[in-house]
Amino acid sequence: MSFLRDNGLSITLTIFTAATIAGMIFAGTNAFNQEAIMHGEPTVTVASYLATGHFLSALFENWESEFLQMAAYVCLTAFLYQRGSAESRDPDGPRSRLDEDPLTMKNDPSAPWPVRQGRLVRTLYSYSLGIALGGLFVLSFVFHLRASAAAGNIEAMRHGEPPVDLWTRLADAEFWFECFQNWQSEFLSTLLLVLLSIFLRFRGSPESKPVAAPYGATGK
């Protein structure tokens, strides 16, 4: 039971992720087949649908926006402040462990392995969370572009138009519309979290200030 208690958050989120992807797959298969029937084309199985641009474009389009949101959030909160927000460090507060130079812990046997290595490894590790999230954003963007081009070519074929390559798709307004419609929602939701956490509370959540904390108190 201690394993479930210690890892309950990640386990629950994994279940939610798998369940929503499954729902997306089955709903997407039906939508794809309905469109195929309307154009007199053969339908596909669920397994075949997983390789279509229709599914992969939608999947990576959403992953891309999420990784962009988290990468921006991690990087911006390291340098920018919002007084009173639970999501910000205190602009007037003393330096915390978040700011400490990992070089001072180089000889600490309990420190993570990269901290005890040379300057390059230690520096990369110091910013590894932002680097990883930024890298996942770039990968998702590339996969979204490829899948979006494949989905677009199916539509082009249905209308008797020539297929397009990746560079042409990259310059297409429809592709950027797909990107921006998700990116704006991610930045808006992050903005609302930052601002609402000034005035609203959720008792027990580390994303909230203590219920009795004044509005002007910054959370982190």
Side-chain angles (χ1 to χ4, degrees), residues 167-181:
W167 293 111
T168 303
R169 185 62 175 177
L170 183 61
D172 188 5
E174 182 179 354
F175 171 74
W176 287 104
F177 177 76
E178 293 174 359
C179 293
F180 287 126
Q181 71 173 339

Side-chain angles (χ1 to χ4, degrees), residues 109-200:
S110 66
W113 175 83
V115 174
R116 294 179 275 116
Q117 305 309 305
R119 180 176 180 181
L120 177 60
V121 173
R122 189 165 54 249
T123 299
L124 289 175
Y125 183 70
S126 297
Y127 300 99
S128 55
L129 180 58
I131 293 171
L133 291 170
L136 288 170
F137 163 70
V138 172
L139 285 176
S140 297
F141 181 86
V142 172
F143 289 141
H144 170 212
L145 174 61
R146 290 174 59 89
S148 179
N153 284 336
I154 291 178
E155 288 298 316
M157 179 186 65
R158 287 171 174 170
H159 294 89
E161 299 172 353
V164 298
D165 58 23
L166 289 181
W167 293 111
T168 303
R169 185 62 175 177
L170 183 61
D172 188 5
E174 182 179 354
F175 171 74
W176 287 104
F177 177 76
E178 293 174 359
C179 293
F180 287 126
Q181 71 173 339
N182 284 283
W183 295 359
Q184 57 83 24
S185 66
E186 300 301 336
F187 287 123
L188 175 61
S189 63
T190 303
L191 171 63
L192 289 177
L193 177 61
V194 168
L195 296 180
L196 290 177
S197 68
I198 298 175
F199 307 103
L200 305 180

Side-chain angles (χ1 to χ4, degrees), residues 11-27:
I11 292 172
T12 301
L13 289 173
T14 298
I15 293 172
F16 285 170
T17 299
T20 50
I21 289 178
M24 178 184 176
I25 291 171
F26 286 103

Side-chain angles (χ1 to χ4, degrees), residues 97 100-112 115-116 122:
R97 289 200 63 189
E100 69 181 8
D101 186 347
L103 180 61
T104 61
M105 306 295 291
K106 181 179 180 180
N107 297 319
D108 185 347
S110 66
V115 174
R116 294 179 275 116
R122 189 165 54 249

